[in-house]
Amino acid sequence: NAGVTQTPKFRILKIGQSMTLQCTQDMNHNYMYWYRQDPGMGLKLIYYSVGAGITDKGEVPNGYNVSRSTTEDFPLRLELAAPSQTSVYFCASATSGREDTQYFGPGTRLTVL
Amino acid sequence: GNSVTQMEGPVTLSEEAFLTINCTYTATGYPSLFWYVQYPGEGLQLLLKATKADDKGSNKGFEATYRKETTSFHLEKGSVQVSDSAVYFCALSSRPGRRALTFGSGTRLQVQP
């Protein structure tokens, strides 16, 4: 049982490049989330999904896109990378029952130069 | 909207000292409250949680009580260890709905031997 896994761990992008951050969970959770953590700050919600085929915007969705074709996977796409997207990105998942604890992946550290 | 306010850090203590990290919140409805811990270079781990008023969450010697009348969820530990050095995040989960976490800005704890 690996929990929530994220790849890559680190990435450096040039301005204008694009990439996909991968997130997979093996706990059969319906809810999945993408957060970003800027230095010295708490986490902010980018996008979330309440099940396969259903996604919605969080607080800071501009410059990102997501898809949820399976229960397990929730990739985050960055188009036209900008320096403001330099951050650490965390994926998390949770069940749809009363237990609303979120389980986090180890994070992806992204630098845009 | 929902918000979480934590005391500014860093907090520097000697080993075996008493720890309090203050957390207050603003929320609609009846949120669940959480403390997450982030060790250097790692993702967030759930430390403890409380799901209704007057509940006390506890784990690894840490405690926090859900106080609806003061909208607070202060984290306490009677005797800290060097291994407790980390960043601590207070968070709330909105229910019902998307159940995304709203985080405080985090408090860095440094414990000196």
Side-chain angles (χ1 to χ4, degrees):
Chain A
N1 190 339
V4 180
T5 57
Q6 292 183 239
T7 57
K9 284 188 167 52
F10 304 94
R11 184 73 185 267
I12 298 175
L13 284 182
K14 293 183 180 178
I15 294 172
Q17 287 185 321
S18 61
M19 74 165 293
T20 299
L21 282 66
Q22 302 291 346
C23 174
T24 299
Q25 53 92 8
D26 62 359
M27 296 174 282
N28 201 32
H29 285 170
N30 286 326
Y31 287 71
M32 294 188 75
Y33 307 86
W34 276 105
Y35 295 90
R36 60 178 284 172
Q37 183 183 28
D38 297 327
M41 304 292 288
L43 282 68
K44 293 197 181 299
L45 181 68
I46 306 172
Y47 269 96
Y48 69 100
S49 169
V50 300
I54 306 169
T55 63
D56 207 349
K57 297 177 181 178
E59 302 169 60
V60 290
N62 291 344
Y64 308 94
N65 276 299
V66 294
S67 59
R68 184 96 181 271
S69 57
T70 67
T71 299
E72 295 77 20
D73 299 308
F74 190 41
L76 177 71
R77 178 84 176 161
L78 279 72
E79 306 281 2
L80 297 175
S84 60
Q85 293 178 305
T86 294
S87 190
V88 181
Y89 292 84
F90 289 102
C91 179
S93 71
T95 68
S96 54
R98 282 192 61 81
E99 168 65 42
D100 50 9
T101 300
Q102 290 191 16
Y103 298 85
F104 284 79
T108 294
R109 183 175 295 278
L110 174 68
T111 302
V112 182
L113 300 174
Chain B
N2 297 338
S3 67
V4 176
T5 303
Q6 282 181 244
M7 62 188 288
E8 296 268 341
V11 173
T12 303
L13 296 174
S14 298
E15 213 165 18
E16 300 184 2
F18 184 85
L19 168 71
T20 300
I21 300 178
N22 290 337
C23 171
T24 58
Y25 68 90
T26 302
T28 55
Y30 301 95
S32 293
L33 301 175
F34 304 82
W35 278 100
Y36 279 83
V37 58
Q38 184 178 32
Y39 297 103
E42 298 184 11
L44 278 72
Q45 303 174 25
L46 178 67
L47 180 60
L48 55 84
K49 71 175 188 179
T51 59
K52 61 183 188 297
D54 300 325
D55 266 2
K56 177 185 282 189
S58 60
N59 186 26
K60 300 181 182 180
F62 291 89
E63 293 183 340
T65 301
Y66 189 143
R67 301 283 188 205
K68 191 166 176 60
E69 64 277 11
T70 55
T71 61
S72 64
F73 192 55
H74 305 321
L75 182 68
E76 295 182 339
K77 187 176 185 184
S79 176
V80 294
Q81 306 300 313
V82 172
S83 57
D84 294 326
S85 298
V87 181
Y88 292 80
F89 291 95
C90 185
L92 66 84
S93 171
S94 58
R95 288 188 291 143
R98 64 187 187 185
R99 304 190 184 190
L101 291 171
T102 299
F103 285 89
S105 56
T107 301
R108 181 176 300 277
L109 170 65
Q110 298 171 330
V111 180
Q112 298 175 337

